[in-house]
């Protein structure tokens, strides 16, 4: 089991301490505990670079603000620990960025299981997010090539693919170069106008 840097925050100091002890017994490094101010929570997330954050839920509005502060402070999974199941809170917290929660009692086994689940879901989410980002980048590059060369979609993709093969690069890397550099090139209509003007002068 890999050691994780665990950020533990909440407005219930007694419960924060219990969670911190449980996390330490599991072999994890506890970054901080008993911090409840949402701004400080965000600052701590940025400065300490935890692998996972645990919010011990007390006052729900404060807990939601802390979750939001953590998510804004860094890209990491967040777990909420509640006294009792609260579907409304869990739904709102999920929209902000929690990846797992524990309700109705916590022990070391449940804590470790929740961390495993949160880390796995977080990895899957960002892999999916990355795939969507790569697809969007490729689509933008195809659109640029279609406009610039009067290509159809298949011709634009073939151009990207062939250039990627010749240069031993990934298609997404070639697409990124096209998107980054297209602003330096004249549009197709501007090029045609220049060519027409040149022919007229001749």
């Amino acid at each position: 089991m890999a050691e994780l840097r665990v950020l533990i925050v909440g407005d219930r100091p007694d419960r924060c301490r219990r969670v911190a002890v449980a996390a330490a017994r599991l072999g994890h490094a506890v970054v901080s505990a008993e911090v409840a101010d949402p701004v400080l929570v965000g600052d701590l997330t940025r400065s300490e670079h935890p692998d996972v954050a645990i919010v011990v839920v007390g006052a729900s509005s404060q807990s939601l603000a802390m979750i939001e502060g953590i998510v804004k402070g860094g890209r990491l999974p967040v777990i909420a620990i509640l006294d009792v199941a609260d579907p409304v809170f869990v739904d709102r917290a999920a929209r902000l960025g929690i990846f797992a929660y524990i309700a109705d009692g916590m022990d070391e086994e449940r804590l470790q299981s929740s961390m495993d689940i949160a880390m796995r879901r977080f990895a899957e989410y960002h892999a999916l997010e990355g795939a969507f980002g790569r697809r969007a980048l490729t689509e933008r590059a195809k659109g640029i090539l279609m406009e610039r060369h009067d290509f159809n979609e298949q011709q634009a993709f073939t151009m990207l693919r062939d250039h990627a093969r010749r240069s031993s690069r990934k298609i997404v890397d070639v697409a990124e170069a096209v998107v980054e550099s297209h602003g330096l090139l004249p549009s197709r209509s501007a090029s045609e106008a220049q060519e027409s003007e040149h022919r007229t002068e001749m």
Side-chain angles (χ1 to χ4, degrees):
M1 177 178 61
E3 178 185 306
L4 300 174
R5 288 175 60 77
V6 184
L7 174 65
I8 300 171
V9 299
D11 56 3
R12 305 255 324 257
D14 56 332
R15 295 204 67 206
C16 285
R17 284 192 289 270
R18 288 201 295 272
V19 175
V21 168
R25 284 178 177 166
L26 288 166
H28 303 300
V30 176
V31 174
S32 182
E34 302 176 40
V35 179
D37 184 293
V39 175
L40 293 179
V41 165
D43 292 342
L44 195 61
T45 304
R46 282 185 286 273
S47 64
E48 294 293 338
H49 307 290
D51 299 305
V52 61
I54 297 173
V55 176
V56 178
V57 177
S60 63
S61 60
Q62 185 81 340
S63 298
L64 289 169
M66 282 187 279
I67 292 168
E68 188 172 13
I70 292 167
V71 171
K72 287 181 178 178
R75 294 166 69 87
L76 72 160
V78 183
I79 300 167
I81 298 182
L82 301 85
D83 282 331
V84 294
D86 183 344
V88 174
F89 174 86
V90 170
D91 180 66
R92 292 177 67 189
R95 294 173 191 273
L96 289 174
I98 68 165
F99 282 80
Y101 72 95
I102 301 171
D104 302 316
M106 183 215 72
D107 55 32
E108 291 175 19
E109 185 177 346
R110 290 186 73 187
L111 180 61
Q112 184 60 55
S113 176
S114 294
M115 286 195 279
D116 292 341
I117 290 168
M119 295 294 286
R120 185 171 61 251
R121 287 176 176 169
F122 182 75
E124 290 169 353
Y125 170 78
H126 283 290
L128 187 61
E129 185 181 53
F132 281 129
R134 290 190 295 273
R135 179 168 182 174
L137 191 63
T138 301
E139 291 300 316
R140 283 185 64 197
K142 286 196 300 185
I144 291 165
L145 295 175
M146 289 165 68
E147 185 276 330
R148 188 68 181 82
H149 298 286
D150 196 23
F151 281 168
N152 62 34
E153 186 175 358
Q154 183 57 49
Q155 289 171 317
F157 178 77
T158 299
M159 187 178 208
L160 285 173
R161 184 196 61 201
D162 291 349
H163 187 78
R165 286 176 177 170
R166 285 194 303 271
S167 58
S168 299
R169 297 164 69 190
K170 295 179 181 177
I171 289 177
V172 68
D173 293 335
V174 174
E176 184 176 19
V178 170
V179 171
E180 287 180 350
S181 63
H182 87 280
L184 303 174
L185 303 172
S187 66
R188 180 169 175 268
S189 57
S191 296
E192 288 176 342
Q194 289 174 356
E195 290 174 6
S196 176
E197 183 179 332
H198 180 67
R199 285 196 298 270
T200 301
E201 290 174 354
M202 292 176 63

